[in-house]
Amino acid sequence: MNSMTKSLSITIIDDDQSVRESLLDLLEVFGYSVRIFASAYEFLESSAIPETNCLLLDISMPGMGGVDLNLELKRREIEIPVVFMTGHAQDAVINEAKKAGTCLFKPFASKELRSAIELAVNP
């Protein structure tokens, strides 16, 4: 584990509690500092934005999905590397996500997740 991994703060935003908890456990094993949120709105109202080095965003969530959250952050001139996650193959939404970052399809391997995060923060 390199020193950069330890300094990264990853924020997970997913409406599925089991996904949030399993990713939290996995990313902490990798040595990342991790925060979790159940919705995009919860994240936007938090103090975690300036401390986030990479976002793991579920594409499909009630209310504001991952792509919309990413657009809102850009509108606010907040640049955070993003890794999108989805369990649903919606071509139009996935294409939008891929324009803004990496898109992983659930379920994905831990190695694939780690590579996507490293690529997002070190393009």
Side-chain angles (χ1 to χ4, degrees), residues 49 52-53 70 73-82:
I49 294 171
T52 299
N53 300 114
N70 192 51
L73 291 171
K74 289 192 182 317
R75 188 188 69 74
R76 296 181 184 193
E77 298 182 1
I78 299 169
E79 292 291 328
I80 303 173
V82 175

Side-chain angles (χ1 to χ4, degrees), residues 14 23 26-27 30 54-60 82-89 94 97-98 101-120:
D14 196 304
L23 287 174
L26 175 63
L27 293 174
F30 288 159
C54 185
L55 285 169
L56 292 183
L57 293 178
D58 186 18
I59 289 178
S60 301
V82 175
V83 175
F84 291 99
M85 307 175 292
T86 187
H88 311 285
I94 291 168
K98 285 183 176 179
T102 302
C103 186
L104 298 175
F105 295 91
K106 299 174 187 174
F108 44 79
S110 59
K111 195 174 185 180
E112 188 179 7
L113 174 61
R114 191 171 193 176
S115 294
I117 291 169
E118 293 298 329
L119 182 62

